[in-house]
Amino acid sequence: MVDQSKPLRKSQRVDLKTLAEELGLSQSTISRALRAHHSIPESTRRRVTSAAERLGYSPNVRARGLATGRTEAIGLVFPLERLQLAQTNFVDVLTGISDVVTRRNYSLLLTPFSDNEQEVLRKLATSRTVDGIIITRPLVDDPRIPLLHDLGIPFVVHGRSDADLPYSFIDIDNAAVFEKLGGLLLDYGHERIAVLNSFLRFRYANARREGYRRALEGRGRVPDPDMMFETPMTEQAGYDLATALLGSENPPTAFLCGSVFLAQGVYRAATERGLRVGQDVSVVCHDDGLRGIRPADFDPPLTSTFRSVREAGEHLAETLINLVETKGNKEPTREVAEVDLILRESVGLHRHHR
């Protein structure tokens, strides 16, 4: 379609009103299109952004903030240790959040904490420096959720808590993660399965333990508490645990790992003992397709469950910005994504079942 609009004089300042007149659209439509609001068709958004670039339009953030009562910034609150870890999914989450924030013309305020997170949240919520907040790694009974609910600021949680309040969250079916992986190992005849889980104060680790218990119960089995471990999700932790267990009198024949990093450590420990993964010992993990480490590239390729963490980051940002722009006048988003089980060569039949 040919743009029939009149060319602007070079001396003419391009503001929202000018852009609206140029395109024959309302200022509110132009504003929403520039923020990639979900109510605006993609064709309209492209037309508006193209015209804005061609005419040299740049938003007056201060004026828009005064008009809307918003800062057009969101805050991500996270423990400082997540930046210090060499192995973490945090960068993948952050990438997804950043993509959406940039597309919607918002700013992102990263707010790390080292001890008193609730005080950091209270200060952030009352300072009016952000319109909404993302929190991560919820506890089973997380005090941050009632705090933010009472402070009245829009927020979204990466994961769920058992808090009995209406709130928005983006999660995966963590119970299904260990139910699928554990069930697979059991069906391959494994009886001594070392379960390397995260710390049970986190709600997702509790859900995974429950999923594994369901897998056992469905096959007439009960959990062995001596084979259930709470551990940091790192390669070194996986290596240390696997080294000790594989050197014991009655070693496990399989490892169920809560992260690909743990599985990486188990592989290293097994190799050092001259064991072949997929033949002498089986290994499975939850993967999440993290960048820089691909289960398909392991030797042998590693069986895993998968759901994109980057995509979760995108949904977190979209959900929060939509909450901000509707002033919270919408039902909470409660998203629980299914995980895919990808069977590769790291699982073999237990010797007694061959």
Side-chain angles (χ1 to χ4, degrees):
M1 190 173 86
V2 178
D3 194 339
Q4 311 250 335
S5 52
K6 298 176 185 177
L8 291 164
R9 297 189 305 274
K10 285 192 177 178
S11 59
Q12 189 173 344
R13 181 181 177 277
V14 180
D15 57 13
L16 197 64
K17 182 179 178 184
T18 312
L19 194 56
E21 289 173 350
E22 175 81 1
L23 294 171
L25 298 169
S26 69
Q27 291 186 48
S28 62
T29 297
I30 296 287
S31 179
R32 288 199 299 273
L34 290 170
R35 296 197 311 278
H37 194 275
H38 62 89
S39 66
I40 302 298
E42 181 62 21
S43 57
T44 304
R45 188 186 73 78
R46 282 199 299 267
R47 182 175 166 230
V48 170
T49 54
S50 175
E53 288 175 14
R54 175 170 53 83
L55 300 173
Y57 169 78
S58 58
N60 185 329
V61 176
R62 182 180 292 274
R64 195 166 64 202
L66 289 171
T68 62
R70 297 196 298 264
T71 64
E72 299 197 345
I74 60 174
L76 172 60
V77 181
F78 59 92
L80 189 57
E81 67 192 40
R82 293 195 78 180
L83 281 184
Q84 297 167 337
L85 284 172
Q87 297 173 323
T88 174
N89 66 9
F90 181 68
V91 175
D92 299 80
V93 177
L94 183 57
T95 301
I97 293 170
S98 300
D99 284 349
V100 170
V101 165
T102 302
R103 190 168 73 245
R104 299 285 294 263
N105 283 327
Y106 272 64
S107 299
L108 179 63
L109 179 62
L110 296 178
T111 309
F113 66 91
S114 54
D115 44 27
N116 194 341
E117 183 181 8
Q118 290 195 60
E119 193 53 45
V120 170
L121 286 168
R122 187 182 298 278
K123 183 178 179 182
L124 193 61
T126 56
S127 66
R128 300 188 185 278
T129 52
V130 296
D131 297 321
I133 294 173
I134 296 171
I135 58 174
T136 63
R137 294 209 302 176
L139 306 176
V140 174
D141 184 15
D142 201 305
R144 298 172 298 175
I145 292 171
L147 172 67
L148 289 171
H149 185 269
D150 291 348
L151 289 169
I153 188 168
F155 70 97
V156 62
V157 185
H158 187 199
R160 279 174 285 173
S161 171
D162 291 343
D164 189 20
L165 286 168
Y167 66 95
S168 292
F169 61 76
I170 305 297
D171 200 4
I172 63 170
D173 188 346
N174 276 293
V177 169
F178 272 25
E179 186 170 11
K180 287 181 177 184
L181 292 171
L184 177 70
L185 292 174
L186 291 164
D187 290 343
Y188 269 69
H190 292 279
E191 297 180 2
R192 283 190 64 74
I193 302 170
V195 180
L196 278 49
N197 196 3
S198 184
F199 297 100
L200 293 175
R201 66 177 180 273
F202 296 119
R203 205 267 185 186
Y204 77 91
N206 252 273
R208 290 180 182 182
R209 181 181 63 172
E210 174 61 20
Y212 181 60
R213 187 189 64 77
R214 287 202 311 239
L216 288 166
E217 283 192 353
R219 294 158 178 82
R221 305 275 296 282
V222 294
D224 179 356
D226 292 336
M227 297 296 283
M228 314 275 282
F229 301 92
E230 295 179 62
T231 176
M233 308 282 249
T234 65
E235 180 191 1
Q236 189 61 44
Y239 172 79
D240 290 342
L241 272 168
T243 298
L245 288 165
L246 291 172
S248 64
E249 285 186 14
N250 190 11
T253 63
F255 287 82
L256 167 51
C257 303
S259 82
V260 65
F261 303 120
L262 284 168
Q264 192 176 34
V266 173
Y267 265 56
R268 182 156 62 97
T271 300
E272 283 186 5
R273 293 193 67 84
L275 301 173
R276 293 163 298 173
V277 172
Q279 296 182 47
D280 303 313
V281 63
S282 291
V283 184
V284 298
C285 81
H286 180 56
D287 154 40
D288 266 3
L290 307 182
R291 61 181 180 177
I293 180 166
R294 288 167 36 87
D297 294 338
F298 279 46
D299 183 19
L302 173 59
T303 293
S304 65
T305 46
F306 168 79
R307 179 55 57 188
S308 169
V309 173
R310 177 172 178 158
E311 189 177 288
E314 293 172 0
H315 291 186
L316 285 165
E318 287 281 10
T319 297
L320 183 56
I321 291 172
N322 291 342
L323 276 173
V324 166
E325 295 189 351
T326 57
K327 298 180 180 177
N329 295 325
K330 57 177 294 206
E331 287 297 308
T333 296
R334 308 173 79 82
E335 181 181 306
V336 182
E338 294 300 318
V339 294
D340 298 321
L341 174 62
I342 305 169
L343 185 60
R344 301 189 180 99
E345 290 92 276
S346 66
V347 180
L349 286 170
H350 182 41
R351 290 186 185 279
H352 294 165
H353 289 255
R354 290 180 181 173

